[in-house]
Structure formats: structure tokens, C-alpha cells
Amino acid sequence: MKTILVTGGAGYIGSAAVKALIEKGFDVVIVDNLSKGKKEFVDDKAKFYETDLVDKEQLAKVFAENKIDAVVHFAAYKAVEESMDNAVKYSDNITGTINLLNLMVEHDVPKIIYSSSACVYGTPEQSPVDEDIPISAPINFYGYTKIANEQVIAWYSKVHNIQYVFMRYFNVAGDAGLSYIDPDAQNVFPIIMEVLSGKREKFIIHGDDYDTRDGTCIRDYIDINDLVKAHILALDINNNDIINLGTSNGVSVKELVDITIEVTGKDIKYEVGPRREGDPAIVVASNDKAKKILGWEPKRDVREMIRTTYDAYFKG
Ligand SMILES: NC(=O)c1ccc[n+]([C@@H]2O[C@H](COP(=O)([O-])OP(=O)(O)OC[C@H]3O[C@@H](n4cnc5c(N)ncnc54)[C@H](O)[C@@H]3O)[C@@H](O)[C@H]2O)c1
């Protein structure tokens, strides 16, 4: 039986991954500082440590008490705007990763799967975006932490032979059956749900004068269940690799609003506001590599993601 250390295992994606790993028969050890995640989302069968990755002593205890076979590293602060106000806090994303790598070396843990992001492509000039497009100047400090972590992991791989898979997520959405409610909505799906619940007055579409089919930005939304499956498949890869996780299908913000109205039968109050600085018109993944290397295929579309998110928020 393999033991997987899941960092950030109480968060949105991490808790779904823990559930899937346990269903597949893995033993799971979780490290989460509960800054955002919630213990109630953590499977009882996982061993849980409420520990911050920057706390070297506590983290060392986790490695000393468990024989870890691989690390799936989700833990990070991820609010883009906050990262531009508080580099001190977001530097923990890098420090925590280095602490983790040092302990992996000390305990001969051979493999890490790292949650990266499409933001490492900066403002891509072409879509679909494939993994060969060079990573570019990040437009926020959060994006920088993703690039820095990819680079430091790649160096540890060269020097200490740790094998890595970087998973570059596009926009993750939907629910994995845990009825996960984002306590601090920053992403478009939870924001729409807050508008539907009345917590927010209206939904703001940031610009409708882009060069797209309806003038609003086009993004690639990947279902959390499909995303998690890709991580489990990646545990069997034996080479270093970089893999985009998206559907290759773009959905515009306006289409997202219309589909939500159609799927939920509820009206959404929205308004068009100014563009946000640095927002590219279109960001859609090429997922050919994920299909080829992992034998993976995303199964759920954006309607399904809206339906499961809506059920999580309103039917619990
Ligand atoms: N959600 C998305 O659309 C998306 C897109 C691209 C990349 N990602 C990346 O995927 C990963 C998971 O994202 P998520 O949406 O589940 O976020 P989340 O905030 O729900 O989960 C992150 C978890 O990590 C924990 N954490 C944060 N810093 C920590 C630290 N220093 N020590 C220990 N625990 C810590 C938090 O408490 C939380 O439970 C992150 O690395 C994020 O950057 C997410």
C-alpha cells in the first residue's frame, strides 16, 4: 500500500483528491494549516496534521512519523490580488515548498506532483496554450511563486533526483461530492453562487469589448473530478513532466452567466464593468499532452460544473 502526503488536503482541490486517493486504496497523510481549508472536509481515514509548511520542526515530525512514497503538493495561498499587497505572506508558498523538498531529500521520498497554474504563461498571445510555450513574466506575485516553485523543484530534481510532474491547471470548478463552499470567494463560480444567494448584490463582467465572439473574456473551465483523476494517473508516471489540465473548450464570461441561468432556472443580476489590468482575452489549454501521457480525457462540461456547484451551495 502506498502512502501519499497531500499538502493542502483540507482545501477545495486537496480534499477532493484525498477522497479519490482513499477510494483508490492509498493511505493518505495530510498537512494543512487550516488557513483556508476546513477539517470537516477531510476524510476520517486520512491522518491529519494541522501544520504550516513553513514550520520546519512540525513538518519534520510528519516525515519522521510516516513512510511517505510520494507528495501531492496543493498547499498554497492563492488570492491573486492579496499577493500584490502581501508578498511576505505569499513568500510562504516558496519557503514551504523548499522545506518540503529538503525533507523529501532527507527521507528519500522520490516523487512530487505539484499544483501549478496557467498563470505561469503570463499573458499568452496564442490559444490553445501548450506546454512548450515558454513560461513568461508573471503579472502578479502569486504567479511568480508558481514559477519559482517549478524552478526550485526542477533544480532539486537535477541535484537530488526527485521526480516531478507539474500540473498546470486552468480554471478549476464544480464539486466533488463534498459540498465544498468557498469561505472567501475569489473565483468566478463561487462568486456567481454568492450573487444567486444574495450575499453579493450583482455579478460584474470585467469588460465586454475584447476581441472574442461576444466581447467578454474566454476561459477554460476544468471539472474538479476530472482534475483529481489526472493527479492519480500522474502518480504512475516515471519521468519528469509538465502537463496542462484543461478541457480545450473556451467558455466566455457572458456564456457562463447564460448557462447558469439556464441550468439553475434563476436570474443573475449582472453589470459590465471596466477591464481588469492584465486579463488576456482568451486563455484555453491545449490538453493533447495530458491525453497522450496520462490516457486522460475530461468528462464533464461547464453545465455539469455549474449544476454540481449550485447543488453544493443550495442543496448541501
Ligand atoms: N482553484 C483553482 O482554480 C486553481 C487554479 C490553478 C492553480 N491552483 C492551485 O491549486 C492548489 C490548490 O488550490 P485550491 O483551489 O484547492 O485552494 P484552497 O485555498 O482551497 O486550498 C489550499 C489549502 O492549502 C492550505 N495552505 C495554504 N498555505 C499553507 C501552508 N503554508 N501550510 C499548510 N497549508 C497551507 C490552506 O489551508 C488550504 O486548505 C493551490 O496550489 C493553487 O494555487 C488552483
Side-chain angles (χ1 to χ4, degrees):
M1 186 62 53
K2 283 200 164 172
T3 300
I4 311 295
L5 172 61
V6 178
T7 73
Y12 169 54
I13 303 171
S15 58
V18 168
K19 179 173 170 254
L21 284 163
I22 287 173
E23 279 166 11
K24 285 272 172 203
F26 290 97
D27 286 333
V28 176
V29 176
I30 297 173
V31 170
D32 196 302
N33 63 5
L34 297 184
S35 58
K36 179 88 185 271
K38 293 235 166 19
K39 186 109 195 288
E40 70 207 57
F41 294 115
V42 171
D43 199 302
D44 287 345
K45 294 190 199 83
K47 194 164 170 188
F48 184 80
Y49 289 85
E50 184 178 341
T51 296
D52 197 304
L53 291 179
V54 301
D55 185 338
K56 279 192 204 171
E57 249 172 58
Q58 287 303 311
L59 195 60
K61 221 174 121 204
V62 176
F63 279 79
E65 289 177 2
N66 301 279
K67 172 82 193 81
I68 311 285
D69 296 297
V71 176
V72 185
H73 180 24
F74 296 105
Y77 301 118
K78 64 162 191 181
V80 166
E81 278 172 29
E82 187 188 39
S83 78
M84 295 301 281
D85 291 332
N86 194 347
V88 174
K89 175 174 175 181
Y90 278 73
S91 70
D92 285 359
N93 288 355
I94 304 171
T95 314
T97 301
I98 293 173
N99 288 345
L100 200 55
L101 288 166
N102 287 341
L103 284 160
M104 287 176 70
V105 172
E106 191 181 323
H107 292 268
D108 291 322
V109 180
K111 180 180 191 103
I112 184 166
I113 302 198
Y114 176 61
S115 289
S116 189
S117 161
C119 71
V120 302
Y121 298 114
T123 311
E125 277 164 24
Q126 66 188 73
S127 257
V129 180
D130 68 41
E131 294 85 348
D132 292 333
I133 293 177
I135 53 176
S136 71
I139 54 175
N140 50 62
F141 187 62
Y142 165 76
Y144 170 72
T145 67
K146 289 292 172 204
I147 293 176
N149 280 344
E150 283 196 6
Q151 291 177 338
V152 77
I153 293 168
W155 274 109
Y156 271 69
S157 177
K158 263 190 200 127
V159 178
H160 294 290
N161 218 15
I162 288 175
Q163 188 238 321
Y164 65 79
V165 184
F166 299 152
M167 299 296 220
R168 292 179 178 163
Y169 312 161
F170 283 62
N171 301 272
V172 189
D175 188 68
L178 292 169
S179 295
Y180 192 92
I181 296 191
D182 193 331
D184 173 32
Q186 310 269 345
N187 296 348
V188 66
F189 275 57
I191 289 173
I192 288 179
M193 295 305 140
E194 289 191 355
V195 176
L196 287 175
S197 74
K199 189 171 170 193
R200 277 177 203 247
E201 200 201 326
K202 58 191 162 209
F203 179 68
I204 309 289
I205 295 179
H206 298 287
D208 66 353
D209 56 352
Y210 286 92
D211 186 14
T212 60
R213 49 188 177 257
D214 61 16
T216 67
C217 287
I218 291 180
R219 294 289 179 270
D220 185 338
Y221 299 96
I222 168 85
D223 184 84
I224 187 167
N225 299 281
D226 289 329
L227 183 103
V228 160
K229 254 181 222 151
H231 286 70
I232 293 180
L233 293 167
L235 285 169
D236 288 332
I237 295 185
N238 292 315
N239 305 311
N240 292 339
D241 232 316
I242 302 176
I243 298 175
N244 284 344
L245 291 177
T247 60
S248 283
N249 292 315
V251 176
S252 78
V253 182
K254 181 70 178 52
E255 285 164 350
L256 197 60
V257 170
D258 292 341
I259 298 169
T260 306
I261 294 170
E262 186 195 312
V263 170
T264 66
K266 300 249 160 82
D267 208 11
I268 298 177
K269 234 174 134 184
Y270 71 88
E271 175 180 298
V272 177
R275 288 181 177 204
R276 277 187 311 203
E277 201 185 327
D279 252 356
I282 304 177
V283 186
V284 173
S286 157
N287 61 10
D288 293 347
K289 201 169 169 193
K291 287 178 174 163
K292 191 168 153 220
I293 290 181
L294 301 174
W296 170 89
E297 182 90 47
K299 295 266 188 298
R300 298 193 184 200
D301 67 6
V302 81
R303 281 187 167 67
E304 186 74 355
M305 295 174 220
I306 290 168
R307 191 188 59 71
T308 57
T309 310
Y310 181 77
D311 286 353
Y313 273 73
F314 297 99
K315 299 183 184 164

